């Protein structure tokens, strides 16, 4: 019940954050995100997310029960932490009005990050099944990837956003908030950074 109540306000805040970012892009003359052409993998994934995932998630929750929440909370903690690190990395590189929007977004997202980290940590420490659920949910997870679908510019974007040693240290530290609770678990954003840096050479 606590998670459901929080997610209701979280979704509302996420909507207004997206609206603010859309306004920033339009003010800068950007027409908005360009939707990629048809891709078989993307289309298949969209069908899965829109039509099959609700059923699969419901059945999985019935089977796994409480430990499933630990996995969801761990994934959201890593995702929200990575997004906050991305905003912090971009603030010095944008104009003052945009930086002010980013700082407001960071202020609002701080509660998201704190909630998901606390909920994930409490569950991971509580039982082995919940720890395993968190590890499974973070396996091959890329926090900066919308809906799990790779973007053609993904590597270039991650490499650009986290291009300074300070920004890379920041996102690794964010990863550690959950990663330190999962022995042997590769940290999602740290893994992604290593991948794009290696392939960018």
């Amino acid at each position: 019940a606590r998670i459901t109540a929080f997610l209701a306000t979280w979704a509302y805040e996420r909507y207004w954050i997206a609206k603010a970012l859309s306004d920033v892009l339009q003010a800068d003359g950007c027409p908005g995100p360009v939707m990629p052409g048809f891709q078989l993998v993307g289309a298949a994934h969209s069908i899965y997310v829109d039509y099959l995932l609700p059923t699969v998630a419901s059945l999985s929750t019935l089977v796994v029960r409480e430990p499933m929440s630990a996995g969801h909370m761990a994934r959201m903690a890593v995702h929200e932490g990575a997004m906050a690190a991305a905003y912090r990395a971009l603030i010095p590189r944008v104009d003052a009005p945009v930086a002010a929007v980013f700082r407001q977004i960071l202020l609002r997202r701080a509660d998201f990050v704190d909630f998901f980290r606390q909920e994930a940590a409490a569950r991971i420490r509580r039982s082995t099944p919940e720890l395993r659920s968190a590890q499974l949910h973070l396996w091959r997870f890329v926090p900066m990837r919308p809906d799990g679908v790779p973007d053609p510019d993904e590597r270039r974007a991650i490499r650009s956003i986290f291009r300074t040693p300070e920004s890379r240290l920041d996102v690794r530290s964010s990863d550690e908030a959950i990663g330190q609770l999962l022995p042997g678990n590769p940290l999602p954003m740290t893994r992604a950074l290593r991948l794009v840096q290696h392939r960018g050479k």
Side-chain angles (χ1 to χ4, degrees):
R2 181 173 63 254
I3 292 175
T4 301
F6 175 81
L7 290 180
T9 59
W10 169 80
Y12 182 80
E13 288 285 345
R14 287 284 297 257
Y15 169 80
W16 286 111
I17 287 173
K19 182 68 169 62
L21 293 174
S22 176
D23 290 345
V24 166
L25 289 173
Q26 291 181 23
D28 195 44
C30 177
V34 178
M35 299 303 293
F38 178 81
Q39 295 179 336
L40 182 59
V41 174
H45 189 273
S46 295
I47 292 172
Y48 170 72
V49 169
D50 292 338
Y51 300 104
L52 298 180
L53 182 58
T55 302
V56 172
S58 298
L59 293 175
S60 299
T61 302
L62 285 173
V63 174
V64 180
R65 295 188 180 275
E66 187 66 20
M68 185 68 75
S69 296
H72 289 308
M73 294 298 100
R75 179 174 283 194
M76 291 309 303
V78 170
H79 168 72
E80 289 290 352
M83 291 299 295
Y87 283 113
R88 286 192 291 269
L90 291 173
I91 283 177
R93 296 155 55 183
V94 297
D95 295 336
V98 179
V101 173
F102 284 3
R103 290 191 183 95
Q104 183 64 30
I105 289 173
L106 277 170
L107 182 64
R108 291 174 178 271
R109 290 190 98 116
D111 289 337
F112 303 168
V113 176
D114 185 57
F115 178 86
F116 288 125
R117 284 178 178 172
Q118 288 191 41
E119 291 293 326
R123 286 165 169 74
I124 290 169
R125 292 189 177 108
R126 187 168 62 184
S127 71
T128 299
E130 288 171 304
L131 184 150
R132 296 286 180 255
S133 174
Q135 289 178 318
L136 181 62
H137 275 76
L138 293 179
W139 180 66
R140 298 181 64 83
F141 175 56
V142 181
M144 306 294 288
R145 181 177 289 173
D147 296 326
V149 179
D151 185 274
D153 281 338
E154 177 181 284
R155 296 190 185 95
R156 184 172 65 89
I158 293 176
R159 193 161 54 240
S160 174
I161 294 170
F162 301 107
R163 66 187 184 189
T164 67
E166 294 79 12
S167 63
R168 291 192 292 272
L169 178 61
D170 186 21
V171 79
R172 287 188 186 111
S173 298
S174 177
D175 258 3
E176 282 287 353
I178 298 300
Q180 66 182 345
L181 304 174
L182 304 173
N185 191 72
L187 305 177
M189 270 309 297
T190 302
R191 182 178 60 238
L193 281 170
R194 286 173 180 166
L195 178 64
V196 299
Q197 288 173 328
H198 174 72
R199 293 189 178 179
K201 294 181 180 179

